Amino acid sequence: MVKFMNYFDYRQLNASDVHTHEFLGSTFISEREKDAHNHRFSGISSKAIPVQNGHIHEIVGNTSFDDMHIHQIRLQTGIQIPVGNNRHVHFANGITTTDDGHTHNLQFTTLI
């Protein structure tokens, strides 16, 4: 189980280290045999959280309301992946909360 940071003192970081990322995506389809559907999600990550060899971000939010329910998302990204020009993205994968008797897997990268 992932342990989430409740508080980080961002004052100890340089201004260039403090940033967030937009994210968006769709969950994998669930309930294929009886009620196949998926959900969309989007939002803004937490500020950068320093870890060994870089930083990560926390992603918290809700999916879209589809099939008469929503799911919650709470996960941590992987460390930064350079994409050139001193920019980076983060890979994230996880699973939603159980709602309406099922979960959804999700997998995405943050935006630059």
Side-chain angles (χ1 to χ4, degrees), residues 21-29 37-45 59-66 71 73 75 90-94 96 104-111:
H21 292 272
E22 292 177 82
F23 63 89
L24 58 99
S26 295
T27 65
F28 285 74
I29 295 173
H37 70 281
N38 70 328
H39 300 265
R40 284 144 317 279
F41 55 89
S42 64
I44 306 291
S45 73
I59 302 284
V60 178
N62 293 321
T63 65
S64 58
F65 180 78
D66 291 292
H71 297 269
I73 297 168
L75 56 88
H90 296 264
F91 178 74
N93 66 346
T96 66
H104 292 267
N105 291 322
L106 51 112
Q107 187 174 95
F108 62 96
T109 57
T110 62
L111 301 179

Side-chain angles (χ1 to χ4, degrees), residues 8 25-28 33-34 37 41 49 56 65 67-68 70-71 76 84 87 91 95 98-99 102 105 108-109 111-112:
F8 181 79
S26 295
T27 65
F28 285 74
E33 294 78 31
K34 71 175 199 177
H37 70 281
F41 55 89
I49 301 166
I56 61 173
F65 180 78
D67 196 39
M68 300 302 292
I70 65 169
H71 297 269
Q76 289 180 337
R87 294 185 169 253
F91 178 74
I95 190 166
T98 301
D99 293 283
H102 67 277
N105 291 322
F108 62 96
T109 57
L111 301 179
I112 295 174

